[in-house]
């Protein structure tokens, strides 16, 4: 990828949309290869609806925004203490969700067992 970009001339900077989510790995790769990464905002929804969705048009708009200086966002590095805390919070949230699901399953099973027992007792088979 890096050699392909260089075949068109000197790479001054690369504009990446969504460096905090789906573009984070691309931004990390580019930074590791000493390429300046600029976080580009999503295109205006109204303009996109009027012109239609087009990846080449979006890429051209991102490049224009970087070169003109309109896009100057510095992407998050997604490492260090903040990323470690974010990872721990994700794991904690998942553990709480699993715990809640387990408690709900146990309650459901308990109520079913009690209702089966009550039916058996009332039928005289208990």
């Amino acid at each position: 990828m890096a050699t392909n970009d260089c075949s068109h001339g000197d790479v001054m900077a690369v504009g990446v949309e969504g460096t905090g989510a789906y573009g984070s790995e691309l931004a990390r790769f580019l930074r590791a290869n000493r390429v300046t990464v600029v976080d580009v905002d999503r295109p205006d929804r109204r303009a996109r609806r009027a012109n239609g969705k087009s990846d080449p048009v979006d890429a051209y708009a991102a490049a224009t925004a970087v070169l003109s200086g309109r896009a100057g966002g510095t992407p998050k590095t997604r490492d260090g203490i903040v990323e470690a805390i974010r990872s721990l919070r994700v794991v904690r949230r998942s553990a709480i969700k699993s715990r809640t699901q387990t408690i709900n399953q146990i309650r459901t099973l308990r109520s079913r067992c009690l209702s089966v027992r009550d039916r058996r007792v009332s039928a005289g088979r208990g």
Side-chain angles (χ1 to χ4, degrees):
M1 180 181 153
T3 57
N4 184 33
D5 290 340
C6 292
S7 67
H8 297 290
D10 293 335
V11 177
M12 296 171 44
V14 175
V16 179
E17 178 185 330
T19 58
Y22 60 88
S24 63
E25 285 302 314
L26 174 61
R28 187 176 294 142
F29 171 80
L30 291 170
R31 276 195 309 272
N33 286 291
R34 302 193 189 287
V35 176
T36 302
V37 179
V38 178
D39 190 13
V40 178
D41 292 332
R42 285 181 16 188
D44 182 31
R45 287 183 185 208
R46 186 177 310 152
R48 288 187 75 188
R49 266 190 241 123
N51 299 329
K53 168 74 174 113
S54 171
D55 288 339
V57 171
D58 289 348
Y60 184 80
T64 304
V66 170
L67 290 174
S68 70
R70 282 183 292 133
T74 305
K76 296 177 183 176
T77 59
R78 310 250 336 154
D79 57 5
I81 191 71
V82 174
E83 184 64 17
I85 291 171
R86 189 195 70 75
S87 297
L88 289 173
R89 290 189 57 166
V90 167
V91 171
R92 181 178 185 272
R93 195 174 323 128
S94 175
I96 290 171
K97 184 177 178 182
S98 294
R99 177 181 178 266
T100 303
Q101 287 176 339
T102 302
I103 289 171
N104 289 341
Q105 287 175 345
I106 290 171
R107 285 181 179 159
T108 301
L109 287 173
R110 182 173 172 257
S111 67
R112 286 182 186 167
C113 290
L114 290 175
S115 66
V116 168
R117 185 194 69 185
D118 291 344
R119 276 189 264 141
R120 294 182 91 190
V121 167
S122 65
R125 292 184 267 155

